[in-house]
Amino acid sequence: NKTQKNNSHCFEILGFDVIIDHALRPWLVEINHLPSFGTDSDLDQNIKSRVVREALSLVQAQANDRNNYEMNEMNQIEQRLYYTTEQQDEQSSVIPPEIIQRNKIQSIRRKIQDIFLQSKPEHIVRIEGWMRKYAGREESLLQLVEKKYMPSSNDPAPVEQNIVEEEEEEENIQ
């Protein structure tokens, strides 16, 4: 059971350069605090990708850790901004609904941006337009983006609704 404060994931990957002599004894040459993650070969790619994957697994990093951290920080800032210390103690969990809604929309925007960064970076410039178009229905937009660009293994069928095609159709109509 992790609490918000001990849920931080600060770590560093170090690079150890080792040379093995004729008697098969390892000798430490140096330790790099900023090892290169560039790859020149398939072997390089294989090793370095496993190192990163295993490091993230060890610290139990989750895809939404950054969003959760940012939302918590925003809530704490707003608590300090809108409430006195006494009010914070009395109403530590009370946040104005408009702030909760704004944070929710920002979280959805970040999730959509993260999806497009991984799958369709050229669509990032369209996010603001889609957010305006789907104002009040941001969760529906997120679901459409997830269905289109993050297909689940349970649903191999192509997605019927394509927000990019919808936008292009609207442009043709106008």
Side-chain angles (χ1 to χ4, degrees):
N1 235 354
K2 295 180 181 181
T3 64
Q4 191 65 30
K5 292 201 178 200
N6 71 11
N7 195 16
S8 64
H9 303 296
C10 183
F11 67 96
E12 187 172 9
I13 297 176
L14 301 174
F16 288 76
D17 292 346
V18 177
I19 191 166
I20 299 177
D21 68 14
H22 67 284
L24 299 179
R25 287 182 300 211
W27 294 88
L28 180 63
V29 177
E30 66 178 343
I31 300 173
N32 300 306
H33 73 284
L34 294 172
S36 168
F37 287 101
T39 58
D40 297 328
S41 68
D42 290 339
L43 178 62
D44 243 8
Q45 173 72 31
N46 185 348
I47 292 171
K48 291 176 180 179
S49 64
R50 284 190 298 145
V51 165
V52 171
R53 190 173 335 140
E54 289 175 16
L56 293 173
S57 175
L58 282 171
V59 297
Q60 299 176 343
Q62 301 294 317
N64 62 350
D65 282 346
R66 178 180 176 183
N67 291 341
N68 291 342
Y69 171 79
E70 289 173 354
M71 292 289 286
N72 185 49
E73 287 297 306
M74 181 65 80
N75 289 338
Q76 288 178 3
I77 289 168
E78 288 167 353
Q79 284 287 325
R80 289 191 303 270
L81 181 63
Y82 294 121
Y83 300 107
T84 65
T85 306
E86 293 157 359
Q87 288 173 320
Q88 287 178 25
D89 293 341
E90 293 171 9
Q91 302 177 352
S92 61
S93 63
V94 178
I95 299 171
E98 62 274 5
I99 293 172
I100 293 171
Q101 181 64 19
R102 186 187 72 213
N103 288 347
K104 185 176 180 181
I105 291 170
Q106 288 174 344
S107 175
I108 290 171
R109 180 181 284 114
R110 280 191 297 269
K111 287 177 185 177
I112 292 171
Q113 188 174 15
D114 289 343
I115 292 168
F116 284 151
L117 279 172
Q118 293 177 1
S119 61
K120 290 284 188 179
E122 64 271 14
H123 288 342
I124 290 177
V125 296
R126 294 180 167 181
I127 293 174
E128 289 308 314
W130 287 330
M131 294 298 289
R132 283 190 299 273
K133 177 181 172 184
Y134 282 82
R137 301 177 298 139
E138 291 85 0
E139 289 177 349
S140 298
L141 174 61
L142 177 59
Q143 289 173 353
L144 289 171
V145 171
E146 286 174 338
K147 284 181 185 176
K148 176 66 181 173
Y149 299 103
M150 292 179 57
S152 69
S153 58
N154 299 339
D155 187 21
V159 175
E160 299 292 335
Q161 200 166 12
N162 182 337
I163 59 175
V164 176
E165 290 173 2
E166 283 180 8
E167 185 178 78
E168 289 170 353
E169 287 174 13
E170 284 182 7
E171 290 173 357
N172 292 337
I173 293 172
Q174 295 174 355

